[in-house]
């Protein structure tokens, strides 16, 4: 077969630009089947920090089973990552906080009192 015919048999390869923006991520150490606790911890963190999940989560397998050997699942490393965005409430709180910190007279400032 010629090169063009062989190329048609290969899966399509393409370059994509990811625009995930802000993400929250956490390293899971151990077997994949115990990852639920790590995912729960990540979701709780996202909520506690005033964010919400803004897209599909992804996993990056840093260290895991090889092609020929299973390896030790206790040593697997997986980054669990979720795109996030601030909740509307968090955006409003942050905007309010910035307004209160603007330079100028605060409501508590007044003429200095003589001692």
């Amino acid at each position: 077969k010629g090169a063009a015919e062989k190329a048609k048999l290969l899966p399509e390869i393409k370059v994509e630009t990811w625009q995930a923006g802000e993400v929250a991520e956490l390293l899971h150490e151990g077997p994949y089947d115990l990852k639920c606790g790590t995912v729960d911890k990540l979701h709780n963190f996202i909520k506690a920090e005033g964010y919400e999940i803004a897209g599909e989560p992804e996993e990056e397998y840093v260290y895991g089973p090889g092609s020929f050997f299973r390896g030790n699942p206790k040593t697997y490393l997986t980054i669990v990552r979720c795109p996030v965005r601030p909740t509307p409430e968090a955006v409003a709180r942050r905007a309010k906080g910035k307004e209160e910190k603007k330079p100028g007279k605060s409501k508590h400032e007044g003429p200095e009192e003589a001692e």
Side-chain angles (χ1 to χ4, degrees), residues 100-113:
E100 291 175 357
K101 292 180 183 178
K102 282 187 179 176
K105 247 187 182 180
S106 76
K107 61 184 176 182
H108 299 290
E109 289 180 359
E112 291 184 34
E113 295 181 359

Side-chain angles (χ1 to χ4, degrees), residues 3-107:
E5 290 177 13
K6 287 180 182 178
K8 289 180 184 177
L9 299 176
L10 297 175
E12 183 180 333
I13 300 173
K14 58 184 173 183
V15 174
E16 295 183 335
T17 301
W18 290 18
Q19 297 179 353
E22 289 186 284
V23 297
E25 60 183 34
L26 184 60
L27 180 65
H28 170 72
E29 299 180 50
Y32 300 138
D33 59 349
L34 297 179
K35 194 176 56 198
C36 292
T38 300
V39 172
D40 289 343
K41 187 184 288 188
L42 182 60
H43 287 180
N44 291 337
F45 171 84
I46 291 168
K47 185 175 181 180
E49 293 297 314
Y51 288 88
E52 60 189 10
I53 296 173
E56 293 296 316
E58 68 177 38
E59 297 174 359
E60 182 178 334
Y61 303 105
V62 178
Y63 180 77
S67 299
F68 299 104
F69 301 103
R70 183 167 181 244
N72 182 353
K74 292 179 182 178
T75 64
Y76 293 176
L77 299 174
T78 307
I79 297 173
V80 181
R81 184 179 295 123
C82 291
V84 295
R85 66 177 164 249
T87 62
E89 296 82 11
V91 171
R93 278 194 307 273
R94 291 175 189 152
K96 184 178 179 184
K98 286 181 182 178
E99 283 182 19
E100 291 175 357
K101 292 180 183 178
K102 282 187 179 176
K105 247 187 182 180
S106 76
K107 61 184 176 182

